[in-house]
Amino acid sequence: MFGKMISTSGNTVQIELESDLNASRLTALANGKQPTVELSIEDGRHITPDQRKKIYALLNDFCAYTGYVPEEAKEYFKSMVEGIFNVKPFSLSDCSMTTASYMITTILDFMFHEDIPFRTKIWDSLPDDFPRVAMCVRHRRCAICLKEHADIDHVKTIGMGRNRDKINQVGMYIEPLCRVHHTIRHAMGIKSFMQRYHLKPIKVTPELAKKLHLGRLTDD
């Protein structure tokens, strides 16, 4: 669903939607919980050559593993983007930068989920603002080397003698790291480690805490 931003005040945003909001459908989609929305600002910029290059590189890796032909794979993922992000049919020749980012995210997320290998240089070349840490948390992969079964590292250490299962971890910041990079992180210190690997930890929400079994969800 699309709309226009009317006003902002602190962390409050007023948006006028293009069509009426179906309250019952919204409740159904949110499964009875407080709905969470994502705000994306469309600034009119078109897909960059670098974004297009990354998309086709990922499509080629996908096709090499699955046997799909590139055109078939492209249309498959475009349809996924249109359905997941509710965007209109688009072309990779002139779509927006936002839509191109959705395409990259969708392909990577699918390949992560299906354990389809891709060249790590594509991952390394993603911009710093790409939600790589969030994606790796979802799939429990190291945010640096992509190894599976990563540890959930807390940016602010919980500390010795404290039971992680009894601590409210909502609001803390985390990142997924393999054992090797987890060890490096502790040896280097958090600030130097973040600067070296350009990581942006994500904040633990109640939903994420439940999914990752990160202690209790509310204070006593």
Side-chain angles (χ1 to χ4, degrees):
M1 182 172 290
F2 297 88
K4 295 180 180 179
M5 189 162 62
I6 304 301
S7 65
T8 62
S9 177
N11 63 353
T12 302
V13 178
Q14 182 180 5
I15 297 175
E16 180 182 312
L17 300 176
E18 292 181 348
S19 57
D20 291 339
L21 185 64
N22 187 321
S24 59
R25 175 170 170 74
L26 180 63
T27 302
L29 289 173
N31 196 27
K33 299 178 181 179
Q34 179 71 30
T36 300
V37 300
E38 179 179 352
L39 177 63
S40 176
I41 307 298
E42 178 57 70
D43 61 5
R45 295 180 296 173
H46 286 175
I47 182 174
T48 67
D50 187 59
Q51 284 181 311
R52 192 179 294 111
K53 180 180 178 180
K54 287 182 174 61
I55 289 171
Y56 280 105
L58 286 169
L59 289 174
N60 286 336
D61 286 350
F62 172 81
C63 290
Y65 185 84
T66 63
Y68 275 77
V69 296
E71 191 64 28
E72 186 179 27
K74 181 177 70 174
E75 293 305 317
Y76 175 69
F77 284 110
K78 283 172 61 179
S79 67
M80 287 184 66
V81 170
E82 291 163 8
I84 295 171
F85 297 100
N86 194 25
V87 301
K88 299 175 182 177
F90 63 93
S91 169
L92 292 179
S93 63
D94 60 359
C95 67
S96 70
M97 288 180 66
T98 300
T99 299
S101 180
Y102 288 159
M103 186 76 165
I104 294 172
T105 300
T106 300
I107 300 173
L108 278 173
D109 205 41
F110 185 92
M111 293 176 75
F112 266 127
H113 187 268
E114 298 299 327
D115 201 24
I116 298 174
F118 60 90
R119 292 168 291 177
T120 55
K121 68 179 182 180
I122 295 175
W123 181 257
D124 294 338
S125 65
L126 290 172
D128 291 346
D129 60 353
F130 189 83
R132 65 176 68 203
V133 175
M135 182 173 288
C136 284
V137 165
R138 288 201 304 273
H139 297 284
R140 208 66 179 253
R141 300 272 191 126
C142 177
I144 299 171
C145 68
L146 305 181
K147 287 183 179 178
E148 296 184 60
H149 312 299
D151 298 330
I152 299 299
D153 178 55
H154 294 77
V155 173
K156 186 176 181 180
T157 305
I158 288 181
M160 295 293 291
R162 299 177 68 188
N163 190 330
R164 291 172 183 266
D165 293 331
K166 296 183 179 180
I167 296 172
N168 179 19
Q169 299 183 45
V170 174
M172 293 184 176
Y173 286 84
I174 61 172
E175 59 193 0
L177 299 174
C178 68
R179 290 298 174 90
V180 172
H181 285 108
H182 200 164
T183 301
I184 294 173
R185 180 274 218 229
H186 284 286
M188 290 182 64
I190 187 63
K191 186 175 182 180
S192 297
F193 185 81
M194 293 296 179
Q195 290 175 344
R196 177 175 178 179
Y197 293 104
H198 307 289
L199 293 182
K200 292 184 178 180
I202 63 172
K203 191 174 184 178
V204 177
T205 63
E207 294 76 18
L208 187 58
K210 183 176 181 180
K211 180 178 179 180
L212 298 178
H213 307 292
L214 298 178
R216 69 179 191 273
L217 303 186
T218 57
D219 289 318
D220 292 333

